[in-house]
Amino acid sequence: MTTDAGEMSLTVDELAARAGVTVRTVRFYGSKGLLPPPEIGPRRVGRYGAGHVARLALIEELQRQGMTLAAIERYLRQLPSDLSPHDLAIHRAVVASWAPDAVETLSLAELERRAGRALSERDMERLGAMGVLVADGEAGAFRVDSGLLRLGLELLDVPLSQEAILAARKVLLEHSRAAAHELARLFRGEVAERDNRDVRDLSAHMHPLVVQALLTTFQRSLREELSEWIRGSGAG
């Protein structure tokens, strides 16, 4: 649900359904200070926004990585209090990259429950084209890449054609693979003479650092490119 100004406005039940958790879980996180309190609307009903959705997704991702509640509290305390939903989503992407790919088999009903909305045939086609899901052998079931699901759902509302999204995906895959190849070659030279355990430890430590560096660099570069394009458009 959205307000007249276009901002997301959810009840606690809608927030829980959107995040794929129980209402009790949402309230528990709130009691621990992991989620900021909702805005109180008419009839004293709490309303949650996009920031709550993004923060809850980050908490759930941290839990999936095996972090304890105390560790999650420490992690969240280190984050700036004014992070936007976009910034929280980037943190979640970095955290999700620490783990191997996770594929789940979901029914359409469960998929729509996690999406918080009905999914049209065109939506399903776009999610399939983005590599988020494929039809399972069982009728009405889909194999879903959990790491890509939330991003794919957000892209459904982006005013870009499916062709543009697929072309962008191809560019990102090609360049990320090239960067990964060059970084792996560089690291191999550094660990060539080390014990296998040292190599595994270095890989475990470097993975989140490299992903964070790539995200930061990409954000900055994209921001600069868009700013130049906007200035050029204004001048024309």
Side-chain angles (χ1 to χ4, degrees):
M1 294 181 63
T2 57
T3 64
D4 292 339
E7 298 176 352
M8 184 181 294
S9 179
L10 305 171
T11 65
V12 66
D13 298 273
E14 291 166 341
L15 174 64
R18 177 72 63 90
V21 300
T22 65
V23 170
R24 182 177 179 180
T25 296
V26 172
R27 289 182 169 144
F28 174 72
Y29 289 157
S31 70
K32 291 292 184 180
L34 302 180
L35 278 178
E39 291 188 7
I40 304 301
R43 296 192 294 274
R44 304 293 297 170
V45 175
R47 309 298 299 190
Y48 297 83
H52 292 94
V53 174
R55 196 174 179 90
L56 186 54
L58 174 58
I59 294 169
E60 289 295 298
E61 191 61 58
L62 291 168
Q63 277 206 323
R64 277 193 288 271
Q65 301 305 319
M67 291 182 66
T68 64
L69 191 62
I72 293 174
E73 289 184 71
R74 289 194 297 270
Y75 181 94
L76 294 178
R77 277 200 302 269
Q78 295 173 0
L79 300 181
S81 59
D82 59 347
L83 281 182
S84 68
H86 173 74
D87 292 330
L88 288 168
I90 290 176
H91 276 274
R92 178 183 175 275
V94 172
V95 172
S97 73
W98 302 347
D101 295 338
V103 177
E104 299 179 83
T105 300
L106 303 177
S107 66
L108 177 59
E110 174 62 17
L111 190 58
E112 290 183 328
R113 188 182 73 82
R114 294 196 187 184
R117 61 195 253 185
L119 296 172
S120 67
E121 184 175 341
R122 182 170 180 272
D123 291 336
M124 298 297 287
E125 289 177 355
R126 285 168 68 93
L127 290 173
M130 288 185 281
V132 176
L133 59 79
V134 295
D136 193 49
E138 183 180 346
F142 301 89
R143 291 180 58 77
V144 180
D145 186 324
S146 303
L148 289 177
L149 178 58
R150 191 171 298 275
L151 173 62
L153 291 171
E154 291 174 358
L155 283 173
L156 292 178
D157 297 321
V158 174
L160 290 174
S161 68
Q162 182 165 318
E163 290 75 16
I165 291 176
L166 291 178
R169 180 174 183 264
K170 181 180 179 181
V171 169
L172 289 172
L173 285 174
E174 288 178 352
H175 287 276
S176 61
R177 283 171 180 161
H181 175 75
E182 290 301 315
L183 287 170
R185 184 176 61 82
L186 174 64
F187 294 150
R188 279 198 298 271
E190 290 292 313
V191 302
E193 304 300 326
R194 298 191 186 184
D195 182 83
N196 286 340
R197 180 178 296 178
D198 292 336
V199 174
R200 286 194 295 270
D201 288 344
L202 178 62
S203 176
H205 282 88
M206 289 303 298
H207 189 180
L209 295 177
V210 169
V211 172
Q212 179 69 73
L214 287 172
L215 280 170
T216 302
T217 304
F218 177 75
Q219 272 191 296
R220 186 176 296 115
S221 300
L222 183 59
R223 190 181 302 116
E224 291 171 355
E225 288 287 334
L226 291 176
S227 296
E228 290 179 9
W229 174 62
I230 292 171
R231 286 196 297 270
S233 298

